[in-house]
Amino acid sequence: MANVVEAAIAESLNSPHSKYETIEQIKDAATALHQTHACTLCILRFLQIAHGPVYQDQDTQLCDQLGLSEQPAEPCPVCLGILSNDVARQIAEKYTAQEFDAQQVTLGIEVPKSIYVRHRSMQIFCSTNIALTSIQDVVDVKDTLKYMVAQQLANHSVTVVAECDTQIDIAFAHPESAPDCQFLVDRANSATASRVAIITKLTACTDAEFTAHFTCPPPPITTRANISVSTKRASIFVGGRYLKLERNISQTPFIVEGRRVTEHSVSEIIGAPLQQLTKCDSYNMVGSGREDADVRMLGDGRPFYIECINPRRIRALDADICEIERTLSTTNSPVQARRLQVIRAQDTAIIKEGEENKTKHYCALVWFAHELSQQKLAEINELGKHEIVLEQKTPVRVLHRRAPLTRPRKLLALAIEHIEGCFYRVRIESEAGTYIKEFVHGDLGRTVPSLAGLADTPADIFELDVECVSLDFPPAAI
């Protein structure tokens, strides 16, 4: 440790920005700073000694090398006890306990606003009592903590960088010193003041104005700052296509007034194993449209993606995601997944862009009040070979949650065949956003033309399946 301190002092003396010429001058300044009860790391900061190994240890050897008779009292009234290797170690341990597999992180640090007041107090003290100290070159408290935390994280093979998708948020609070800022709040004529406002007011405050309200050096404290550590990571997105092989399954949880309407949902059947795999906080499913709970989704499935929010694991997921798809298939789950894969965030835009361009193919079991003649069947099938433009008012069943508008929608193909009695198989190709059930029965005349109107007899739909959603998703090349 002695060699480390000597090297740091020598480097400081050799710096072109150094205000010191001899070790004795540094020791004299350290002694003056020690009288403020500042911790050894705050003494190093105000001596403008650059970050290095000397900041990683706080022991008697450091005090000896600085010419201090004893270690400063705790807690430090300048940094509020934040600059401690125990604190840095605690932050690293809290992060690793969250089990993120990130190899790189950024640090976001929020310190109590009172620290800025106490820093200014120390600057004024130094300018008055330590003539060789340039108060503009004091090493920043947050930069110091970042350095210390980075050293601790390195022990866990985690590197701190300026920018990446994983950020450790470190927040400190110190209720005991909170009143330090009150005179600045009063100057701002505000009930509260933000960090920026406090710093702005401090900058505008003269030394005389400051010392009229606050002591220099800062007064002692009896408690350390409280700390909270959380981590946030950019979402990852898993895209694919889902099949819904049974009815009465909603796309997302269907809950009305606190009661579940359907027992299962597509998002939970696929999302729950993804959440377990990625250890994300939560997930959100977005589909390329949605079928009603009583409608099956067949064929190649409906495009969708699931956003895994704040995932702890994102590395080497491909094989496990394929296993989720395989497990759904081999266990005969009513919901299946196809082409399940990690996609880029920008690929999710395909779902939104496809809302207006995709087409859908439906197969419906329709009942008519009377059997249709062969001539009527032929007329409808001939009409169905050409584009049919519908005028659809917002359906009665969704008026409580949709604006009352009239929307033009296109049927690109329509074909009908008799099964038996009054039952018919109807196949429809339509553009996105077409209400198929309402096209069949007419919705009290709110959809024109309707299949019931074309057949000149009341009609109702018994079963409906989506057989194809023509949108190329997820992208073939990732």
Side-chain angles (χ1 to χ4, degrees):
M1 180 64 191
N3 292 336
V4 169
V5 178
E6 290 173 0
I9 292 175
E11 182 179 351
S12 178
L13 289 173
N14 294 330
S15 170
H17 304 291
S18 176
K19 307 301 180 183
Y20 303 100
E21 296 179 356
T22 65
I23 292 178
E24 286 69 26
Q25 289 177 333
I26 290 181
K27 288 184 176 181
D28 290 343
T31 299
L33 290 167
H34 183 260
Q35 293 172 358
T36 68
H37 303 290
C39 66
T40 52
L41 297 189
C42 280
I43 291 174
L44 292 176
R45 290 194 305 116
F46 279 86
L47 290 175
Q48 300 117 45
I49 292 179
H51 294 147
V54 68
Y55 278 85
Q56 297 177 42
D57 292 288
Q58 298 157 294
D59 59 17
T60 55
Q61 292 188 51
L62 176 57
C63 292
D64 292 341
Q65 291 296 312
L66 291 175
L68 308 179
S69 58
E70 60 183 6
Q71 292 207 52
E74 293 187 352
C76 173
V78 184
C79 69
L80 308 179
I82 288 174
L83 296 184
S84 159
N85 281 298
D86 288 340
V87 170
R89 192 176 302 111
Q90 180 183 356
I91 292 169
E93 290 173 353
K94 284 179 176 289
Y95 168 74
T96 56
Q98 296 175 75
E99 298 184 330
F100 282 84
D101 65 0
Q103 294 177 310
Q104 293 185 330
V105 298
T106 61
L107 300 179
I109 298 176
E110 180 182 348
V111 297
K113 288 178 283 190
S114 57
I115 272 192
Y116 300 103
V117 176
R118 288 169 176 266
H119 181 84
R120 176 67 182 276
S121 172
M122 282 294 288
Q123 286 182 318
I124 294 174
F125 171 82
C126 290
S127 64
T128 303
N129 297 276
I130 309 174
L132 292 175
T133 298
S134 172
I135 60 175
Q136 287 78 21
D137 296 330
V138 174
V139 179
D140 183 73
V141 62
K142 290 203 290 187
D143 289 343
T144 302
L145 182 63
K146 285 182 179 180
Y147 172 82
M148 297 169 65
V149 172
Q151 303 309 306
Q152 293 294 333
L153 287 172
N155 296 331
H156 301 277
S157 301
V158 178
T159 304
V160 174
V161 296
E163 185 176 347
C164 70
D165 65 358
T166 305
Q167 176 167 309
I168 304 175
D169 289 320
I170 306 162
F172 292 94
H174 193 249
E176 181 184 352
S177 65
D180 292 358
C181 303
Q182 188 58 48
F183 77 96
L184 295 170
V185 174
D186 295 340
R187 287 169 63 93
N189 295 319
S190 173
T192 60
S194 66
R195 178 184 63 84
V196 173
I198 291 295
I199 294 173
T200 300
K201 287 297 178 182
L202 278 173
T203 303
C205 193
T206 65
D207 289 354
E209 290 172 329
F210 182 90
T211 53
H213 297 279
F214 202 81
T215 61
C216 300
I221 56 173
T222 59
T223 58
R224 286 177 173 271
N226 303 321
I227 179 174
S228 66
V229 179
S230 62
T231 305
K232 58 185 179 183
R233 193 183 212 175
S235 297
I236 62 167
F237 299 86
V238 178
R241 303 177 78 94
Y242 74 81
L243 284 75
K244 194 173 76 177
L245 307 180
E246 296 179 7
R247 305 189 191 280
N248 298 316
I249 299 176
S250 55
Q251 188 182 85
T252 54
F254 190 2
I255 301 172
V256 177
E257 296 181 350
R259 182 182 64 86
R260 288 197 70 132
V261 179
T262 59
E263 182 179 358
H264 303 293
S265 72
V266 175
S267 68
E268 290 169 307
I269 291 174
I270 300 177
L274 281 175
Q275 182 175 29
Q276 185 177 10
L277 172 64
T278 63
K279 300 179 181 178
C280 61
D281 288 348
S282 59
Y283 59 87
N284 180 43
M285 179 177 183
V286 178
S288 179
R290 67 172 63 210
E291 69 286 337
D292 291 340
D294 62 350
V295 176
R296 293 189 300 177
M297 180 66 239
L298 306 177
D300 191 33
R302 183 182 294 276
F304 77 97
Y305 67 83
I306 289 180
E307 178 186 8
C308 299
I309 300 168
N310 201 30
R312 280 143 182 80
R313 180 189 172 193
I314 66 171
R315 298 167 59 193
L317 293 177
D318 292 345
D320 290 324
I321 287 177
C322 289
E323 181 61 21
I324 291 174
E325 182 176 327
R326 189 191 69 82
T327 299
L328 291 173
S329 176
T330 57
T331 57
N332 297 316
S333 168
V335 172
Q336 303 282 310
R338 299 287 185 270
R339 296 165 58 184
L340 208 58
Q341 59 190 272
V342 176
I343 62 174
R344 300 169 301 177
Q346 57 263 42
D347 292 327
T348 63
I350 299 173
I351 294 288
K352 181 67 175 177
E353 294 165 358
E355 287 182 359
E356 300 300 324
N357 302 320
K358 67 177 182 287
T359 60
K360 301 178 184 179
H361 295 253
Y362 297 88
C363 181
L365 176 62
V366 177
W367 170 88
F368 290 94
H370 304 96
E371 284 193 39
L372 306 184
S373 66
Q374 289 299 317
Q375 180 181 352
K376 181 59 69 175
L377 284 177
E379 288 176 0
I380 295 175
N381 281 323
E382 182 61 32
L383 183 64
K385 295 178 181 178
H386 308 281
E387 185 179 280
I388 303 173
V389 178
L390 310 179
E391 292 294 325
Q392 288 199 309
K393 292 183 179 179
T394 302
V396 172
R397 63 188 172 97
V398 297
L399 267 175
H400 65 287
R401 56 186 172 88
R402 295 283 177 87
L405 303 173
T406 299
R407 302 173 179 85
R409 291 291 184 259
K410 296 177 183 178
L411 297 189
L412 306 178
L414 172 66
I416 182 171
E417 61 178 339
H418 185 227
I419 300 175
E420 62 177 0
C422 293
F423 289 93
Y424 294 78
R425 184 73 63 197
V426 179
R427 296 186 182 278
I428 302 167
E429 181 184 358
S430 72
E431 70 173 336
T434 306
Y435 291 102
I436 299 300
K437 293 177 179 178
E438 282 65 29
F439 164 67
V440 170
H441 56 64
D443 197 29
L444 304 175
R446 298 174 66 82
T447 291
V448 179
S450 66
L451 186 57
L454 295 175
D456 295 324
T457 186
D460 205 355
I461 190 164
F462 271 51
E463 293 180 348
L464 180 62
D465 296 328
V466 184
E467 295 188 321
C468 178
V469 177
S470 57
L471 179 66
D472 185 14
F473 185 90
I478 300 294

